[in-house]
Amino acid sequence: MKICLVVDDSRVIRKVARRILEDLGFEVAEAADGVEALAWCRTITPHVILLDWNMPNMNGLEFITQLRAEPAGDQPRVIFCSVENDLERIRQAMAAGADEYIMKPFDGDIVASKLTMAGAL
Amino acid sequence: MTPRDLELAAKLCAERAGLSVDPDKHYLLENRLAPVARREGFSSIEELMAAVRNREEERMVWAVVEAMWPAETSFFRDPATFELIASDVLPKLARRAGKAPLRIWSANCGAGQEVYSLAMLLAEQTSFGAGVELFASDLCERRLEKAQSGLYSQFEVQRGLSAHRLVRHFESAEEGFVLSPRVRQTVRWRRVNLIEDIARLGQFELIVCRHLSAHLAQAARERLFANLTSARAPGGCLVLGGGETAPGLVCAAERPGFHVRPGGERAAA
């Protein structure tokens, strides 16, 4: 079963995302910030990461920058999932190595569509 | 809505546009007609339908018919269709068109997502450019106006459009995202009723008209396919939705929806 790591400081968002992802056949793991997510990725590489932007300790952009700089190996697909909807921010996320970008609020159709576009479904 | 109003709305849809509307689906009619009533300054759908019945104003009649016209659309709907158009159909058609411009028609373009998906594909292929005429039509004036604005909500741009294409082809707008003028200006627009005589439009190497025929009554469906088949240039391709079939054309193997003339001419799909 494919693993999706949901990285978001909101427990509610993690719960909503978990429900959608489990319906799509993913095993779901959760992290509340970038530090926790990075530690997780160094143990088991998830297939895909759903990544919030604004989080305490380490934000999404800092996380993906560090993730993509990790020594060569399996790299997960990363889909940003954020309230940030400015095109410049989206460009910044893509330039940092994101595969797709979801603007909150989202629903199951949008998540499935973006996972497909990112090659993760 | 009263049974009399439901029947009148269904009758007008059938007469004017060949649209098959089941008067028993009152929830659908009410959902679509309530915004029309509000927009036109009526306090209820009943008032709107009374005005349609008594005044016989063409504008009001068409407001009802257009509101019932199928509206479901998204960017790159059925992505495999667009992948085939980009990788296979367009290169073949471009080789055959030679110096003449390649004419492409999105026949039921709705709010523009389908024709703009084609426009983005063309913008991403350097081998095309000035040699393509991209034409879009719809029955509904309001949807054509929205389409021409190129303005889409956050929800709309997340349906089928990749983030890469969003940042490449769109600009931020006050209430959403607007397609760049460079892409938007490649499309020419016209209101067309697909069951009327459309010979004036000429012929096209590629026609896309998906997921419409199932909404039409039998006679209108036959007229639609006769029109689309006549508008298809020799060797051209008609793209329908998967499962739709046009009499006289065959669906190309392994390419659901891609219809060409059987034998006799070099096919694009």
Side-chain angles (χ1 to χ4, degrees), chain A residues 36-48:
Chain A
E36 217 178 283
L38 211 52
W40 215 99
C41 290
R42 284 171 181 154
T43 313
I44 300 168
T45 306
H47 188 73
V48 60

Side-chain angles (χ1 to χ4, degrees), chain B residues 84-215:
Chain B
L84 275 171
I85 288 174
S87 66
D88 195 37
V89 177
L90 286 177
K92 282 180 184 170
L93 287 172
R95 276 198 295 276
R96 193 171 47 244
K99 287 182 182 172
L102 186 63
R103 300 193 77 216
I104 298 174
W105 177 25
S106 171
N108 189 45
C109 72
Q113 286 95 327
E114 179 180 83
V115 72
Y116 285 140
S117 299
L118 291 167
M120 284 184 262
L121 283 183
L122 289 163
E124 291 161 12
Q125 298 202 2
T126 51
S127 55
F128 292 100
V132 178
E133 287 179 10
L134 198 48
F135 176 68
S137 68
D138 198 89
L139 178 77
C140 183
E141 287 279 10
R142 287 177 64 79
R143 279 180 214 143
L144 280 172
E145 278 170 24
K146 174 177 165 52
Q148 287 177 74
S149 75
L151 184 64
Y152 296 96
S153 68
Q154 179 175 305
F155 177 74
E156 287 169 319
V157 297
Q158 296 206 93
R159 294 191 67 205
L161 191 67
S162 71
H164 289 285
R165 283 195 166 115
L166 178 67
V167 297
R168 180 170 176 178
H169 297 296
F170 284 77
E171 297 164 5
S172 291
E174 207 163 298
E175 289 180 16
F177 301 88
V178 65
L179 191 65
S180 72
R182 185 177 48 82
V183 177
R184 212 164 67 229
Q185 287 163 4
T186 61
V187 184
R188 290 189 302 121
W189 309 88
R190 189 160 176 176
R191 182 181 180 276
V192 171
N193 187 344
L194 291 167
I195 62 163
E196 289 178 350
D197 182 5
I198 60 163
R200 67 189 185 284
L201 302 178
Q203 289 196 308
F204 299 85
E205 278 75 27
L206 176 62
I207 302 172
V208 184
C209 185
R210 301 181 301 154
H211 310 294
L212 173 64
S213 65
H215 297 278

Side-chain angles (χ1 to χ4, degrees), chain A residues 34-108:
Chain A
V35 173
E36 217 178 283
L38 211 52
W40 215 99
C41 290
R42 284 171 181 154
T43 313
I44 300 168
T45 306
H47 188 73
V48 60
I49 298 173
L50 206 59
L51 179 64
D52 186 20
W53 190 303
N54 299 307
M55 294 177 291
N57 300 324
M58 183 191 287
N59 71 29
L61 196 64
E62 291 164 341
F63 165 77
I64 194 170
T65 304
Q66 288 207 29
L67 179 77
R68 294 308 191 209
E70 291 279 302
D74 288 346
Q75 277 278 349
R77 305 277 179 180
V78 176
I79 301 175
F80 259 92
C81 184
S82 169
V83 290
E84 299 285 352
N85 62 3
D86 184 85
L87 275 185
E88 210 37 61
R89 287 296 193 111
I90 299 173
R91 257 186 214 108
Q92 207 179 347
M94 304 306 282
D99 296 283
E100 260 304 333
Y101 197 104
I102 294 171
M103 291 173 268
K104 291 176 183 169
F106 56 84
D107 61 17

Side-chain angles (χ1 to χ4, degrees), chain B residues 8-19:
Chain B
L8 175 61
K11 179 170 165 276
L12 291 172
C13 289
E15 282 175 359
R16 302 302 177 100
L19 199 55

